[in-house]
Amino acid sequence: MAIQRKTARSYRAKPRSVRQSVTIPGDLVVEVRRIARERHLTVSRALIALAERGIRAEREAKRELRKAYRRFMGESEPAQKNAAGKDLIRAIFGKDALAEDTLL
């Protein structure tokens, strides 16, 4: 009778929890504790919720950057390409990256 062994792939298929120790700056701890208290969570659970939210935001920012890049590269009309270029700059550097020209 052959013995079946779990491969490394089968171990990775199931996400598992990992105990992790982190050092958090004091001013950040105050905010995390405040959020935990407001949401009726433990500090650990509040940290997890905030980390998940940050990861989702990061993923969405990357998606928006790719979208802006594809739009910029796909435009051929100069006015549309200029607008797409401004959107791309905002996606890379943030919403306040372009100073508005108030002289015109």
Side-chain angles (χ1 to χ4, degrees):
M1 184 196 266
I3 299 174
Q4 289 185 347
R5 294 187 179 184
K6 289 187 176 183
T7 63
R9 181 180 219 173
S10 64
Y11 286 115
R12 279 187 259 134
K14 219 187 323 182
R16 63 186 186 115
S17 296
V18 176
R19 184 170 177 85
Q20 183 71 47
S21 175
V22 295
T23 302
I24 303 171
D27 54 340
L28 190 58
V29 169
V30 171
E31 290 298 315
V32 171
R33 287 180 180 161
R34 180 188 57 77
I35 290 168
R37 210 174 22 256
E38 288 173 356
R39 297 181 187 179
H40 305 289
L41 300 170
T42 64
V43 173
S44 293
R45 186 63 205 146
L47 283 169
I48 292 167
L50 291 168
E52 288 171 343
R53 188 174 187 180
I55 289 169
R56 279 194 304 272
E58 183 85 15
R59 198 175 293 141
E60 181 61 28
K62 282 185 178 183
R63 191 176 301 124
E64 289 298 318
L65 176 61
R66 282 190 214 106
K67 182 178 162 186
Y69 175 76
R70 284 190 207 110
R71 180 173 166 233
F72 177 74
M73 294 306 289
E75 288 293 344
S76 57
E77 185 181 323
Q80 294 293 334
K81 188 148 187 129
N82 188 28
K86 287 182 179 182
D87 289 342
L88 180 59
I89 290 169
R90 285 186 191 101
I92 294 170
F93 298 108
K95 294 181 193 250
D96 297 328
L98 295 173
E100 296 298 324
D101 190 5
T102 58
L103 298 175
L104 297 177

